[in-house]
């Protein structure tokens, strides 16, 4: 019988699971938030992922449940597990991708290198942390942040007063030391329920305005030690937290070659889009293999270099379709992926992958193709 995989969330990550699901012979079903979502082609239900009845109704026709995002509430996830549903990643693992304070505490217990941090409830506690860290820090709302929303560099507790005022009695903010990183990296691994792990090469991620703009795979000029340490961190977190499916670990590299964990995602991640065209097994296929408990695929690169450039909706003239056609015409070696989303300034509407023997050539080609949308 064909294994039925249910994805909660109908964004571009669910959309990009559709083609590999077909290839693997899996029946992919999606619970979309509304009509016209990116993953509409596989949407078998529309409903609110916070509503246990809606989710229960969706999962009764699937064999395993996974996610396009990490926002499904813990009580919904735990009710599914109690019903006997296979959920990957499960709520015990997913909590560390849902709440940055819970993550910091657990990574500390596991001895994983990370920035200095504290949970702060009022201006006094925040100022005390800042005073101990050169008067500055990065304040984060523990839950619900993405693309840099919910992250603020502060030089005094007053700069986070609005967030402190909005805290409920049992809530706190996360404050971290401001890391003077030389670059940001991401390490991805996939883990199967039985424990098999496959690691991807560590990549460099370039952010603009808190949003991932480009990814270089593998990370240029990475020493053997750096590659080994990053992979070790990815494996240790996947095992330590019991992650199933794809795990992305966002990392800071410091000027003394230390690596510190920024945050985690337990699903396919923007830092791994290069692997769709640049690795033997792309991250979307790998995620499906892992959650369906199939043997994992080879994560080796197909080419010395792969470059991913995000396409953000902007003020460009003409329709998105015309721009895709023009980019495809002028850059036949570029793999252009489109999410079926209406363009809005700053919104991710697609990405370009280019692989090759020369990094500079690949960067040039991928940027030139993506520039059609600027
Ligand atoms: P989000 O959940 O919105 O992606 P992140 O925690 O990843 O937020 O932070 C977004 C960006 O802010 C990071 O990619 C990094 O550039 C910067 N940043 C986050 N934490 C720190 C830190 N402790 N020190 C320096 N920069 C940071």
């Amino acid at each position: 019988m064909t294994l039925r995989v249910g994805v909660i969330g109908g964004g571009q990550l669910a959309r990009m699971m559709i083609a590999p699901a077909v290839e693997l012979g899996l029946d992919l079903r999606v619970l979309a938030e509304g009509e016209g979502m990116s993953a509409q082609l596989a949407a078998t239900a529309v409903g609110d992922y916070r509503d246990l009845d809606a989710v229960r109704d969706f999962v009764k026709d699937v064999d395993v449940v996974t996610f396009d995002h990490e926002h499904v509430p813990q009580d919904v996830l735990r009710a599914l597990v109690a019903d006997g549903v296979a959920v990957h990643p499960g709520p015990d693992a997913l909590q560390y991708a849902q709440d940055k304070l819970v993550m910091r505490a657990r990574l500390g217990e596991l001895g994983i290198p990370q920035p200095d941090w504290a949970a702060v409830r009022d201006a006094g506690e925040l100022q005390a942390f800042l005073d101990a860290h050169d008067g500055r820090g990065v304040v984060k709302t523990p839950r619900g942040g993405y693309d840099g929303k919910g992250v603020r560099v502060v030089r005094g507790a007053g700069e986070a007063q609005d967030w402190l005022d909005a805290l409920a009695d049992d809530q706190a903010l996360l404050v971290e030391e401001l890391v003077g990183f030389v670059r940001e990296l991401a390490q991805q691994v996939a883990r199967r329920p039985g424990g098999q792990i496959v690691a991807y090469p560590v990549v460099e991620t370039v952010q603009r305005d808190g949003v991932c703009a480009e990814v270089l795979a593998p990370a240029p000029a990475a020493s053997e030690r750096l590659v080994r340490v990053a992979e070790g961190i990815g494996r240790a977190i996947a095992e330590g937290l019991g992650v199933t499916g794809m795990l992305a670990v966002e990392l800071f590299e410091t000027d003394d070659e230390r690596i510190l964990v920024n945050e985690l995602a337990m699903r396919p991640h923007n830092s791994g889009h290069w692997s769709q065209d640049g690795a033997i097994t792309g991250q979307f296929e790998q995620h499906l293999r892992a959650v369906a408990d199939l043997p994992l695929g080879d994560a080796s690169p197909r080419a010395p270099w792969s470059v991913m450039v995000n396409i953000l909706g902007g003020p460009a003239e003409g329709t998105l379709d015309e721009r895709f056609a023009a980019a495809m015409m002028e850059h036949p070696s570029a793999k252009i992926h489109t999410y079926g989303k209406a363009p809005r300034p700053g919104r991710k509407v697609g990405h370009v992958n280019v692989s090759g023997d020369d990094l500079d050539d690949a960067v040039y080609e991928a940027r030139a193709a993506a520039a059609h949308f600027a």
Side-chain angles (χ1 to χ4, degrees):
M1 203 189 83
T2 306
L3 197 78
R4 300 160 304 177
V5 178
V7 184
I8 299 184
Q12 67 259 26
L13 302 180
R15 176 189 180 96
M16 289 186 274
M17 292 180 206
I18 298 173
V22 172
E23 290 166 3
L24 289 168
L26 301 171
D27 180 356
L28 196 79
R29 300 174 180 211
V30 170
L31 174 63
E33 295 83 340
E35 302 294 340
M37 295 287 295
S38 277
Q40 170 156 276
L41 185 61
T44 54
V46 170
D48 184 348
Y49 57 80
R50 294 163 301 190
D51 174 357
L52 179 57
D53 291 334
V55 176
R56 271 202 173 119
D57 204 41
F58 170 68
V59 307
K60 69 180 184 331
D61 294 322
V62 306
D63 301 302
V64 55
V65 172
T66 190
F67 310 96
D68 163 269
H69 57 72
E70 42 263 326
H71 306 311
V72 182
Q74 279 284 321
D75 53 353
V76 171
L77 297 172
R78 290 189 188 274
L80 297 185
V81 172
D83 290 346
V85 179
V87 179
H88 293 300
D92 287 338
L94 202 59
Q95 61 178 325
Y96 302 109
Q98 291 180 320
D99 187 311
K100 292 177 183 176
L101 273 172
V102 178
M103 171 197 73
R104 286 279 175 242
R106 184 74 186 119
L107 293 186
E109 286 169 7
L110 291 173
I112 304 285
Q114 57 180 345
D116 274 350
W117 66 278
V120 293
R121 282 159 215 88
D122 57 44
E125 288 180 354
L126 175 53
Q127 193 58 52
F129 181 93
L130 300 179
D131 290 345
H133 294 85
D134 297 329
R136 21 184 230 188
V138 182
V139 180
K140 301 185 178 183
T141 52
R143 306 181 72 92
Y146 67 97
D147 286 351
K149 295 173 184 64
V151 174
R152 199 184 279 172
V153 177
V154 303
R155 290 190 159 67
E159 293 176 30
Q161 196 58 52
D162 52 337
W163 286 359
L164 289 165
D165 289 343
L167 289 176
D169 282 347
D170 60 343
Q171 289 178 331
L173 295 176
L174 169 64
V175 59
E176 298 173 358
E177 68 173 295
L178 180 65
V179 178
F181 56 80
V182 290
R183 60 176 171 172
E184 294 187 68
L185 304 170
Q187 174 68 52
Q188 287 191 300
V189 303
R191 184 172 176 276
R192 228 177 136 178
Q196 186 198 4
I197 293 182
V198 166
Y200 284 81
V202 66
V203 302
E204 177 173 342
T205 63
V206 181
Q207 338 284 326
R208 256 172 238 133
D209 303 325
V211 181
C212 175
E214 296 181 359
V215 172
L216 311 176
S223 67
E224 260 178 55
R225 183 191 151 275
L226 182 95
V227 170
R228 205 178 51 243
V229 171
E231 181 175 333
I233 288 172
R235 286 176 178 271
I237 293 175
E239 268 162 19
L241 305 185
V243 179
T244 42
M246 286 297 304
L247 165 71
V249 184
E250 295 181 11
L251 300 160
F252 299 127
E253 181 183 346
T254 65
D255 54 6
D256 51 355
E257 253 211 15
R258 282 182 313 136
I259 299 183
L260 305 172
V261 172
N262 176 24
E263 66 166 343
L264 311 177
M266 295 178 195
R267 48 171 170 76
H269 188 251
N270 202 164
S271 64
H273 289 354
W274 69 274
S275 66
Q276 289 176 296
D277 304 300
I280 291 175
T281 310
Q283 64 164 349
F284 297 97
E285 175 180 348
Q286 196 77 287
H287 185 72
L288 290 170
R289 287 186 186 223
V291 303
D293 203 10
L294 295 167
L296 301 180
D298 188 341
S300 306
R302 287 177 185 276
W305 298 106
S306 291
V307 176
M308 191 275 332
V309 177
N310 272 334
I311 299 170
L312 302 182
E317 308 252 319
T319 68
L320 213 47
D321 288 348
E322 284 164 5
R323 282 171 190 279
F324 276 113
M328 288 158 86
M329 168 95 101
E330 285 178 38
H331 304 280
S333 69
K335 304 297 287 185
I336 299 175
H337 297 259
T338 157
Y339 305 161
K341 284 163 49 171
R344 277 203 305 265
R347 188 182 205 203
K348 291 174 189 169
V349 294
H351 66 271
V352 177
N353 285 334
V354 174
S355 296
D357 294 333
D358 185 273
L359 176 59
D360 291 340
D361 286 351
V363 168
Y364 180 86
E365 193 71 11
R367 283 185 187 163
H372 282 273
F373 304 88

